[in-house]
Amino acid sequence: MPARAGAALRDAFLSALVALGLFGVLIGLKTESGPGSLVLVARPWAVVIAVGLVFAGRLALLAWRGWRPAGTPSPRRLVAVGGRIGRVLAPLLLAFALSLPFYAGRYWMDLGILVLTYVMLGWGLNIVVGLAGLLDLGYVAFYAVGAYSYALLAQTFGLGFWTCLPLAGLLAACWGVMLGFPVLRLRGDYLAIVTLAFGEIIRIVLLNWVSLTNGPNGISGIPRPTLFGLTFSMGGGPGTVSHFFGVEPDISQRVIFLYYVILGLALLTNWVSLRLRRLPLGRAWEALREDEIACRALGINVTTTKLTAFAIGACFGGFAGAFFATRQAFISPESFTFMESAMVLAIVVLGGLGSQLGVALAALIMIGGSELFRDFAEYRMLVFGGALVAMMILRPRGLVSGRTPSVSLGTAKQISPDLIAQGRG
Amino acid sequence: MPAPLMPASLLEVRDLTMRFGGLTAVSSLSFAVRAGEITAVIGPNGAGKTTVFNCITGFYRPTAGGIALSPPGGGTLALERMPGHRIARRARVARTFQNIRLFAGMTVLENLLVAQHNTLMPSVASGLLAVFGLSGHAHAERAAIARARFWLDAVDLAARADDPAGALPYGAQRRLEIARAMCTSPVLLCLDEPAAGLNPRESEELSTLLRRIRDGAGGEPGCSILLIEHDMGVVMRISDHIVVLDHGRKISDGSPAEVRADPAVIAAYLGDGDDDDSPATAA
């Protein structure tokens, strides 16, 4: 035992040494704007704390590994537990989302809209990445296509939000097919790189096609959505919601309306993907993720099947984009950087590929969480990165891994994640 | 001794040649698969058996030669010009793989339903309409499940219908792959080493199953079988017709008894110094 304790101490000491090398400069020195120029402020105490934390953490980890009780739950049991929790958690989350406007203030409503937008994007991308197993790093392109479709159609032809919403989805789906045709013969990493490039191409075109998109200045004055033709204007004149219902005009009415619109859109995405999973098309997507060659041998047209996944995923991205445009009333290429694609993909991977509940939870944690940590500004990314590393160690297949069969003769059993393929494109 | 009534040939392979760069895996191979029979393709390792299979099922495009399928309904299809998924769909040639390719993360039943994709979803449009409960999907799904049940019973996997395919024991995975291929309603079933890794009792059961597939039972029409196999016990027991390949060429062709007596076959399997003057060219 003393030998093992000594080895653990040495290990922890080495970890602390590495931490010192890393944090010594990163945390130990801070630039502050002094009189005239920047000055370096040394913060030895912060380094001591960070290194101490690493030392203690490493020691605790090793201790736990050494005295781990026998019979640690197997992944299979964790999956079963996950399934049970899901049945309770999903309705609770839905009830919470539906009732939020009744007690939440303006700040929380705005945060709710933001989270729901990412939930919707996550669910849309989940069709492509989670079900069909095609790694798409340029999902933001379809988001941008949707947003610009609405903005341009509304400004050029004076069409309303509800007319443009399906058009934006359709246009995004068309772009999905256009991208899909040449690139779907690529697999895995190659597909990822090409979709990444596609996302950037769309952004750069938007940035440079000034006569159409107004370039980096963006498009402003995008019309707000209406409720059956009633606007949410602050003036309160005839034809506004407040006039029609005889209430005082209030900015929160529009926010609440927007909140319910995005909630409805997100739930539509969820419903369609859940429904598709139980239909031949969705089953073919999952089969494609599991084994493409076997699919071909069974007479499934691999290209069309992949294209439909791309198109439907893109379509929901387009819907979300149109919503984004109408909510912000201003869009510019700045909003559609690779960072957004990465964020949505991180949500899908963290939530668990193919899991609807997992994606919703991950969006809540990632977007809501990073919003809550805003006060800690400089440590926010550190916490975020730490959380990601912890997740990948503890639950490498995402928060809610495992898969519910789409059809069963007897009782459906959860399928353990180690059997499920992750798709190589 | 030819059979009194010669059945019509279902599949005709004529002068099939497959080259990979400078390597000739199969060279001007011709043979026929007769309807309602079990035809075995045997040969030493690297003789080009799997290459022939990949050409027939559209995974490779042959360098030269033709593969003609004459399904019972009439007409002739040139398989060498069709892409893989259309061979399975239009020509109804189903296959299994040497290294089992199941959808491991999906249940046994789902595996069998994916196989019926084309009957369940005639077009993308109908697949999308089904989202809104249109296009009479529920009825088709019930029929597909009934068909899956039939094959589950046939391969003795009904009790494991809701288990993930990847969790089945090896022998059961082999049987499931055959059942999945049969769910596509094929006219020709191509099996790549179905008995590999099976114990004697399991290969006995496999022989019974294959005979049953050939003859048809329980309302299922009979299906011709083309198989690659190394287990000579199984091959000799169930084959009606055997084609022997070595170094990409056909060295013998006939009934099991004829092939067993053929000196060229014995030489190929046991090795013969004088015969082996050509370099090993098969993949």
Side-chain angles (χ1 to χ4, degrees), chain A residues 83-93:
Chain A
R84 266 203 303 281
I85 291 175
R87 265 198 293 280
V88 185
L89 197 57
L92 276 181
L93 272 180

Side-chain angles (χ1 to χ4, degrees), chain A residues 52-89:
Chain A
L53 275 176
V54 169
F55 183 78
R58 183 74 193 162
L59 210 56
L61 184 73
L62 289 171
W64 184 76
R65 266 196 206 152
W67 292 288
R68 177 163 40 181
T72 313
S74 70
R76 204 171 288 259
R77 239 183 69 205
L78 284 177
V79 168
V81 171
R84 266 203 303 281
I85 291 175
R87 265 198 293 280
V88 185
L89 197 57

Side-chain angles (χ1 to χ4, degrees), chain A residues 24 44 58 89 95 135 156 158 240 250 312 324 344 367 370 398 414:
Chain A
R58 183 74 193 162
L89 197 57
L135 185 53
T156 319
T240 65
D250 185 356
I312 292 174
F324 176 76
V344 178
I367 307 299
S370 65
Q414 284 279 314

Side-chain angles (χ1 to χ4, degrees), chain A residues 232-255:
Chain A
F232 287 88
S233 139
M234 287 304 100
T240 65
V241 170
S242 45
H243 182 261
F244 187 82
F245 291 104
V247 290
E248 278 295 303
D250 185 356
I251 188 90
S252 69
Q253 288 161 0
R254 189 177 69 204
V255 176

Side-chain angles (χ1 to χ4, degrees), chain A residues 120-143 145-146 168-199 202 269 272-273 276 281-282 284-286 288-289 292 301-319 341 345 423-425, chain B residues 124 128:
Chain A
M120 179 170 178
L121 285 172
W123 278 340
L125 186 62
N126 203 8
I127 294 176
V128 185
V129 180
L131 292 185
L134 304 166
L135 185 53
D136 182 355
L137 288 179
Y139 194 60
V140 75
F142 307 123
Y143 190 43
V145 167
L170 209 64
L171 281 166
C174 284
W175 279 99
V177 173
M178 264 185 344
L179 166 69
F181 254 123
V183 309
L184 283 180
R185 69 191 65 224
L186 304 174
R187 311 178 54 141
D189 308 347
Y190 305 102
L191 179 69
I193 290 168
V194 174
T195 50
L196 172 74
F198 177 72
I202 292 275
T269 315
V272 169
S273 14
L276 274 171
L281 187 58
W285 288 341
E286 291 203 82
L288 209 60
R289 180 192 66 203
E292 190 177 326
N301 188 336
V302 173
T303 315
T304 347
T305 311
K306 281 184 179 179
L307 275 181
T308 49
F310 242 74
I312 292 174
C315 178
F316 288 117
F319 287 158
S341 291
L345 188 66
R424 288 162 298 276
Chain B
V124 173
L128 291 178

Side-chain angles (χ1 to χ4, degrees), chain A residues 76 271-272 275-284 286-305 308 312 403-416 419-421, chain B residues 58-59 83-86 88-89 93-95 97 100-107 109-111 113-115 117-118 120-121 124 127-128 130-133 137 141 145 149 152 158 161-164 166-167 180-181 184:
Chain A
R76 204 171 288 259
W271 179 75
V272 169
R275 184 105 182 92
L276 274 171
R277 264 203 71 211
R278 294 170 181 278
L279 291 171
L281 187 58
R283 244 179 252 136
E286 291 203 82
L288 209 60
R289 180 192 66 203
E290 297 286 326
D291 195 325
E292 190 177 326
I293 290 175
C295 278
R296 212 143 65 100
L298 293 174
I300 295 173
N301 188 336
V302 173
T303 315
T304 347
T305 311
T308 49
I312 292 174
R403 170 175 180 273
T404 318
S406 63
V407 62
S408 65
L409 286 182
T411 48
K413 286 170 272 190
Q414 284 279 314
I415 295 174
S416 134
L419 288 173
I420 303 165
Chain B
F59 280 83
H85 70 269
R86 282 178 53 86
R89 186 174 183 168
V93 175
R95 73 168 291 177
F97 294 87
I100 307 176
R101 286 188 171 274
L102 288 170
F103 305 125
M106 302 173 86
T107 65
L109 180 64
E110 283 177 311
N111 268 274
L113 289 184
V114 170
H117 179 79
N118 288 322
L120 283 171
M121 199 184 116
V124 173
L128 291 178
V131 174
F132 306 102
H137 172 71
E141 175 113 353
I145 290 179
R149 264 204 120 113
L152 282 178
D162 295 326
D163 288 343
R180 188 180 67 180
T184 63

Side-chain angles (χ1 to χ4, degrees), chain B residues 55-81:
Chain B
C55 287
I56 293 173
T57 51
F59 280 83
Y60 294 158
R61 189 161 286 229
T63 317
I67 304 164
L69 184 88
S70 318
T76 302
L77 298 161
L79 298 191
E80 77 273 11
R81 268 180 260 132

